Amino acid sequence: MRIQIPTVASAFLLGAAIFSEQLFAAGSTVPAPPGKLVDLGGHRLHIYCTGKGPFTVVVENGLGDFSFDWILVQTKVEKFSRICTYDRGGYAWSGPGPKPRTYAQLNLELHDALNKLGEHRPLILVGHSFGGGVVRNYAAVYPSEVAGMVLVDTVQEDQRIPMGPSKTGRVRDAAKGIPIPAPRENMFPSDKPNLAAPTNAVGEIDPPYDRLPQKEQTLHQWAEQLPEINDAEDSQKEWSTEYMQRLYENPQEASLGALPLIVLTRSEGYKKDSDLPAAQLESERLRLQAQLALLSSNGKQIIVPGGHNMHLEAPDAVTDAIKSVIASSSQKPKN
């Protein structure tokens, strides 16, 4: 039973909730994608590119985020640059891709999709959270394509993060030291996603996603309840630990040379209770975020007021960082 509160705001929220329920009621309603579905040979990747400019900004999302979650940034950046947001395999409109979901696999799919769309280089890579490690690997695999980078509250390989309600650990702690397999575009029968786990329930939009326009809020609610995302993220998390351990053991491989780099670091600390003192966690976090800026001789760190989801909480700060990196790039654009 719904309790109606006689205010304009509550009436709007109630209407939005009813609209969302109607959209998902049939269980098979798929909204039209804003971008293009690129066929990679057995699976398709959704990429949404807008704007014009000599560079192409490419956004790599954090875990649980989608292309349209960057709409507040994309609509600003498209005024001065080409920008592409996309959904990794298993997210939103993108079909599940080959396994395992390593950084190299994600990089290959994005690289080939951009080629098929004819998107020009050089690229300005923007990596949020988990996506930061992915774009760092992209720059290592395809260095001639990358003209600059923005890391948006990215986890550094030695940084501690909350792992549960009262436990803290490093992402690399779970690494097994196993070889990372070569990426591929062709699909195997074993790549079929494991959908045994229950689907995510559609519920109220959580902050800060309530800052999105209503259309994108509804898309987020639709996308986060798709069962394929659970399988994709399980594999991504597993292999992220291996990459973080490799970066920790071989810091020289992580160098970005003189690539223009801005590291955006949130001002707010972790809000979860932890088994470690809050002051220790904060001191370590800020120190290791500063180390990320040292990956390039042309890098700098900017502390952004607010929390982890800067693309929603501080889109102007993210936009300004992208604009600054573009201005700092000396690499000549080429088609």
Side-chain angles (χ1 to χ4, degrees):
M1 177 181 295
R2 298 181 183 273
I3 300 175
Q4 296 188 1
I5 303 174
T7 65
V8 174
S10 61
F12 173 80
L13 293 174
L14 179 59
I18 293 174
F19 173 73
S20 298
E21 289 174 0
Q22 290 172 342
L23 175 62
F24 304 125
S28 60
T29 301
V30 178
K36 296 181 180 179
L37 294 173
V38 184
D39 188 352
L40 297 178
H43 62 111
R44 298 190 299 176
L45 210 66
H46 171 250
I47 301 187
Y48 180 45
C49 299
T50 59
K52 295 180 180 180
F55 297 89
T56 301
V57 176
V58 177
V59 176
E60 188 72 54
N61 302 316
L63 292 172
D65 273 4
F66 309 96
S67 55
F68 45 79
D69 288 330
W70 280 75
I71 192 66
L72 300 180
V73 173
Q74 184 157 5
T75 52
K76 296 176 184 293
V77 174
E78 67 184 10
K79 295 177 181 178
F80 59 83
S81 177
R82 184 73 167 166
I83 177 171
C84 298
T85 54
Y86 88 107
D87 296 297
R88 290 191 292 269
Y91 286 62
W93 299 277
S94 295
K99 291 179 180 176
R101 307 301 291 164
T102 63
Y103 287 175
Q105 182 63 45
L106 304 180
N107 292 162
L108 177 66
E109 293 172 16
L110 175 60
H111 174 268
D112 290 356
L114 291 172
N115 280 348
K116 288 197 171 187
L117 288 174
E119 293 296 335
H120 63 262
R121 274 62 165 185
L123 308 178
I124 303 296
L125 299 179
V126 180
H128 173 234
S129 193
F130 166 86
V134 181
V135 298
R136 289 173 64 186
N137 195 75
Y138 193 106
V141 176
Y142 308 106
S144 65
E145 296 187 6
V146 183
M149 186 180 297
V150 178
L151 297 178
V152 183
D153 214 46
T154 295
V155 176
Q156 198 263 8
E157 46 268 29
D158 207 32
Q159 186 175 323
R160 304 175 195 267
I161 61 174
M163 296 180 174
S166 60
K167 193 175 182 181
T168 308
R170 298 182 176 93
V171 175
R172 64 180 180 81
D173 287 344
K176 301 175 183 176
I178 55 180
I180 297 175
R184 54 187 166 83
E185 287 290 18
N186 56 313
M187 298 284 287
F188 294 162
S190 58
D191 294 327
K192 184 177 180 180
N194 176 15
L195 304 181
T199 60
N200 305 314
V202 176
E204 294 183 0
I205 197 79
D206 293 324
Y209 297 97
D210 56 355
R211 302 188 184 204
L212 289 168
Q214 184 57 55
K215 176 184 175 182
E216 281 70 30
Q217 288 188 38
T218 302
L219 287 175
H220 187 94
Q221 289 176 300
W222 162 74
E224 70 178 354
Q225 57 84 41
L226 297 175
E228 292 84 358
I229 190 174
N230 295 325
D231 185 72
E233 292 200 341
D234 285 346
S235 184
Q236 288 170 175
K237 292 175 184 177
E238 177 185 1
W239 287 93
S240 177
T241 64
E242 304 300 328
Y243 281 96
M244 288 294 160
Q245 183 62 27
R246 284 167 59 124
L247 288 172
Y248 175 75
E249 294 176 347
N250 305 284
Q252 69 279 2
E253 295 182 7
S255 173
L256 295 174
L259 192 75
L261 167 69
I262 291 182
V263 176
L264 298 179
T265 302
R266 72 180 188 274
S267 62
E268 292 182 359
Y270 295 119
K271 296 181 180 180
K272 293 183 178 180
D273 292 334
S274 171
D275 51 333
L276 296 174
Q280 177 186 343
L281 276 179
E282 276 307 282
S283 176
E284 275 193 10
R285 181 179 71 87
L286 294 174
R287 175 175 59 82
L288 295 174
Q289 284 283 298
Q291 285 188 16
L292 283 173
L294 298 178
L295 291 174
S296 169
S297 60
N298 193 13
K300 68 176 180 179
Q301 180 190 28
I302 299 175
I303 305 296
V304 178
H308 180 61
N309 293 296
M310 296 178 195
H311 54 302
L312 299 169
E313 299 176 57
D316 286 340
V318 178
T319 300
D320 289 345
I322 293 171
K323 184 181 292 186
S324 179
V325 167
I326 288 177
S328 299
S329 178
S330 61
Q331 185 170 333
K332 293 182 180 180
K334 57 186 177 182
N335 294 323

